[in-house]
Amino acid sequence: MQNKQMQNLMKGAVVLSIASFIAKVLSAVYRIPLQNMVGNTGFYVYQQIYPIYGIGMTFALSGFPVYISKLVAEQTEPAEQTKILRQSFALLGIFGAAIFIYLQIKAPAIAGAMADPALAPLIEMVSFMFLLMPFLAVTRGYFQGIFNMIPTATSQVAEQLVRVVVIILAAWLSLKLHWSVYEMGTWAMTGAFFGGLVATISLLKPAERAFVWRGPVTKGIDWQSYKGLAKKLLIEGGSICLFASLIVLLQLIDSFTVKKGLVLGGLTDAAAKNLKGVYDRAQPLVQLGLVISMAFSSTLIPSLSQARQRQQDQQFRQVAEALIHISLGLSAAAATGLMVLMPQVNVFLFGDADGNRALVWYMFSIAIIALINACNSVLQSLDQFYKTTIALLVGIAVKIMINQWLVQHFQIVGASLGTVISLGVVLYLVLRQSPELVKNALAPKRFTFKLLLICGMMWLAVKIALDITHFGLMTRGAAIMSTGVGITVGVLVFVGLALRWQLFTIREWLTIPGGRQLLRLSKKIKR
């Protein structure tokens, strides 16, 4: 791969990183006024159904688009690209319609399985977004496949912005019109459809040229071609979707088990809903912690595929190592920062320090998920889908088996432990099947030990800084000041030690947004 193309890929990664960061910030920020306006119980109602939306969003943004981008990148003829796009749209259209119909019919049964029949209208409402999923997935996949990340980034930000506005408006109207928390949740879920509709409109004009047929006109339908693509979308595309929606799938299991477990553990129905709402605070924090690693994973799969297809082993190894190092390094730093600052972050965002222990345990999942996704991206580019999919399914099975028991005995701390344990199982199984280049990238002396030591030093420095400043946690203002001090100290320590101990190579620093400036500053300081 030429240097110019590699630079375009990295620029694309930066564009998607920025768009993902904006989208994740929006996705996290709206939860603050939402939780404050509707309380823990209202937050519980919304979060119970959110995983269904999250799975649909994964299909439309980071699941099927990533696999379709891989198919597009492997084709050199525009006619073949168009053929793949049209066939993918038809197959995903059938898939999306089937999910819509299923959720419409089975909404009462699903709500009953969640031990809260009043959730059925929310499930029916969120199902409408699956009708928009096929177009969004195919068009985003096409643009990522030709290394044009702008349309995907623009549509992603527009979708989240509209959705957030609708949700906050629904919460505000619920206070003014005295709606129940379930009425509020139903109207808030309309944001999923309206956000998807705006994203669809934003992609219509850019995608028009991609769907114009450039091949010879043929009579009839090539059923064999459709059959082959359907199999690929199901097995290989489905594997990408499963990994992209890993954390959402675990949250979906929580929706079916946490409230039940809390009630079985002795809490009243109202208290269980309230505590589940506290536990759900972990989700936006994990989303923010995974922003950059997810963006790089989704963007670099086409480049890994091309490097492998052209038998450029050295280029493949460099991109793979950069992906693993950057994803794990930055996510580990984010997880460490959130863990040490959890009391301050909790008060700052949600007004109290409830559930601190459970949230701290949950933050371990940030680094684990980032490493799983990075390793899986390498394996997917090598067309190794089957074994990694089995690893994920085993992890989900572990979560299903242990979660309710853990919640029943340890409340929401048990739910966090269930998530971390199940992710640990997935990571272990994925690493066992990873090629030597992945294991070399994680070599203890070369990278892992340095990263653990830097994160430990960062933790210690932030704790000392908080003890010295001692703003306290009595008010949001004090929590904000403590958080600001902690973030400043944490970033300075992590970046300083990462540069001094050469955690990342020069090539990897140049890949990170702002890395070039940091290298220049480091050279000036040394002089």
Side-chain angles (χ1 to χ4, degrees):
M1 191 179 293
Q2 299 299 319
N3 287 335
K4 187 174 181 181
Q5 187 179 24
M6 192 63 187
Q7 289 174 0
N8 289 336
L9 283 168
M10 292 308 175
K11 286 178 182 177
V14 172
V15 168
L16 265 192
S17 295
I18 294 171
S20 294
F21 180 76
I22 294 170
K24 297 299 183 187
V25 167
L26 288 171
S27 187
V29 166
Y30 83 82
R31 286 173 166 85
I32 302 167
L34 177 64
Q35 188 268 349
N36 281 269
M37 293 165 81
V38 301
N40 287 332
T41 303
F43 197 48
Y44 146 84
V45 168
Y46 177 79
Q47 288 293 127
Q48 280 290 94
I49 308 304
Y50 176 85
I52 298 176
Y53 160 75
I55 291 170
M57 184 181 70
T58 300
F59 287 164
L61 181 64
S62 54
F64 287 122
V66 171
Y67 184 65
I68 292 170
S69 73
K70 179 177 179 291
L71 295 177
V72 170
E74 290 172 350
Q75 300 299 325
T76 56
E77 295 297 325
E80 287 301 313
Q81 292 179 345
T82 304
K83 181 180 178 181
I84 287 172
L85 295 177
R86 287 192 163 193
Q87 290 182 345
S88 298
F89 181 70
L91 292 169
L92 291 181
I94 295 170
F95 178 60
I99 296 177
F100 169 76
I101 294 168
Y102 177 82
L103 291 177
Q104 285 287 322
I105 295 172
K106 292 293 185 178
I110 296 170
M114 291 180 178
D116 195 345
L119 293 170
L122 283 80
I123 297 170
E124 293 171 355
M125 185 59 69
V126 79
S127 67
F128 283 94
M129 74 159 296
F130 287 92
L131 297 176
L132 301 173
M133 179 272 294
F135 179 79
L136 293 173
V138 172
T139 51
R140 286 166 170 166
Y142 167 72
F143 287 117
Q144 287 174 220
I146 62 172
F147 311 117
N148 178 7
M149 309 301 173
I150 301 297
T152 295
T154 304
S155 68
Q156 182 183 1
V157 173
E159 181 177 3
Q160 286 299 319
L161 185 60
V162 171
R163 189 174 73 89
V164 167
V165 169
V166 171
I167 291 169
I168 297 302
L169 182 60
W172 180 76
L173 287 173
S174 73
L175 295 177
K176 294 294 181 182
L177 303 177
H178 306 290
W179 291 344
S180 71
V181 288
Y182 295 97
E183 288 176 307
M184 177 280 302
T186 302
W187 282 103
M189 281 299 164
T190 64
F193 176 76
F194 287 117
L197 186 62
V198 169
T200 299
I201 293 170
S202 73
L203 288 168
L204 280 174
K205 192 169 183 180
E208 185 179 354
R209 187 178 298 175
F211 283 89
V212 176
W213 185 250
R214 300 182 181 89
V217 178
T218 57
K219 294 182 180 180
I221 299 174
D222 186 358
W223 292 110
Q224 198 64 30
S225 179
Y226 272 95
K227 184 179 178 181
L229 181 59
K231 186 177 179 180
K232 287 183 178 180
L233 284 173
L234 178 64
I235 297 174
E236 300 178 14
S239 174
I240 296 175
C241 288
L242 281 172
F243 273 90
S245 60
L246 175 56
I247 192 66
V248 182
L249 288 170
L250 298 179
Q251 289 164 358
L252 185 61
I253 296 169
D254 285 330
S255 292
F256 287 99
T257 57
V258 172
K259 179 177 174 286
K260 280 183 182 177
L262 292 172
V263 172
L264 289 171
L267 294 185
T268 64
D269 194 68
K273 291 178 181 178
N274 182 76
L275 195 54
K276 173 61 164 59
V278 172
Y279 171 73
D280 285 329
R281 298 175 183 183
Q283 185 184 348
L285 302 177
V286 170
Q287 283 183 322
L288 286 172
L290 286 169
V291 167
I292 294 178
S293 64
M294 290 296 289
F296 272 88
S297 293
S298 62
T299 307
L300 293 179
I301 285 180
S303 64
L304 286 170
S305 298
Q306 282 204 349
R308 185 205 169 202
Q309 191 179 33
R310 297 175 182 178
Q311 297 182 336
Q312 297 172 325
D313 296 338
Q314 179 70 9
Q315 185 69 46
F316 183 90
R317 185 184 63 79
Q318 288 176 348
V319 175
E321 284 196 358
L323 175 59
I324 292 168
H325 287 169
I326 294 169
S327 295
L328 180 57
L330 298 184
S331 62
T336 303
L338 285 168
M339 290 166 73
V340 71
L341 289 170
M342 186 51 67
Q344 290 78 11
V345 171
N346 206 3
V347 173
F348 164 37
L349 294 179
F350 302 106
D352 57 54
D354 293 348
N356 275 334
R357 276 206 309 156
L359 298 180
V360 167
W361 276 106
Y362 208 114
M363 293 307 106
F364 275 106
S365 64
I366 294 174
I368 301 174
I369 293 169
L371 182 53
I372 289 171
N373 285 332
C375 294
N376 187 54
S377 295
V378 176
L379 290 168
Q380 285 171 357
S381 65
L382 294 170
D383 295 326
Q384 296 181 22
F385 295 89
Y386 178 73
K387 292 180 180 179
T388 56
T389 303
I390 295 299
L392 183 142
L393 293 175
V394 170
I396 291 174
V398 169
K399 173 78 170 174
I400 292 171
M401 288 187 290
I402 68 176
N403 208 59
Q404 189 165 302
W405 184 90
L406 286 170
V407 173
Q408 189 175 342
H409 290 82
F410 304 103
Q411 296 195 342
I412 57 175
V413 173
S416 294
L417 289 172
T419 295
V420 173
I421 291 169
S422 60
L423 288 171
V425 170
V426 176
L427 178 60
Y428 170 74
L429 294 174
V430 168
L431 286 176
R432 278 192 63 184
Q433 301 164 90
S434 295
E436 280 302 312
L437 72 90
V438 171
K439 295 170 184 175
N440 291 336
L442 294 170
K445 290 183 180 179
R446 184 177 161 211
F447 182 79
T448 307
F449 179 74
K450 288 182 185 178
L451 178 61
L452 289 173
L453 190 58
I454 290 170
C455 287
M457 297 289 286
M458 173 185 166
W459 176 294
L460 185 62
V462 173
K463 288 291 282 185
I464 293 171
L466 293 177
D467 289 340
I468 292 173
T469 53
H470 196 63
F471 288 115
L473 285 173
M474 296 303 293
T475 64
R476 263 198 168 124
I480 290 171
M481 287 189 285
S482 295
T483 302
V485 169
I487 290 173
T488 303
V489 171
V491 169
L492 289 174
V493 171
F494 184 86
V495 172
L497 291 177
L499 284 166
R500 184 173 181 82
W501 293 345
Q502 298 179 342
L503 180 66
F504 303 119
T505 65
I506 293 176
R507 183 188 295 271
E508 289 164 0
W509 275 114
L510 294 176
T511 300
I512 300 171
R516 186 181 298 274
Q517 289 74 20
L518 288 173
L519 286 173
R520 288 174 180 169
L521 180 62
S522 176
K523 286 183 180 179
K524 286 183 180 179
I525 292 172
K526 285 179 181 178
R527 288 171 185 168

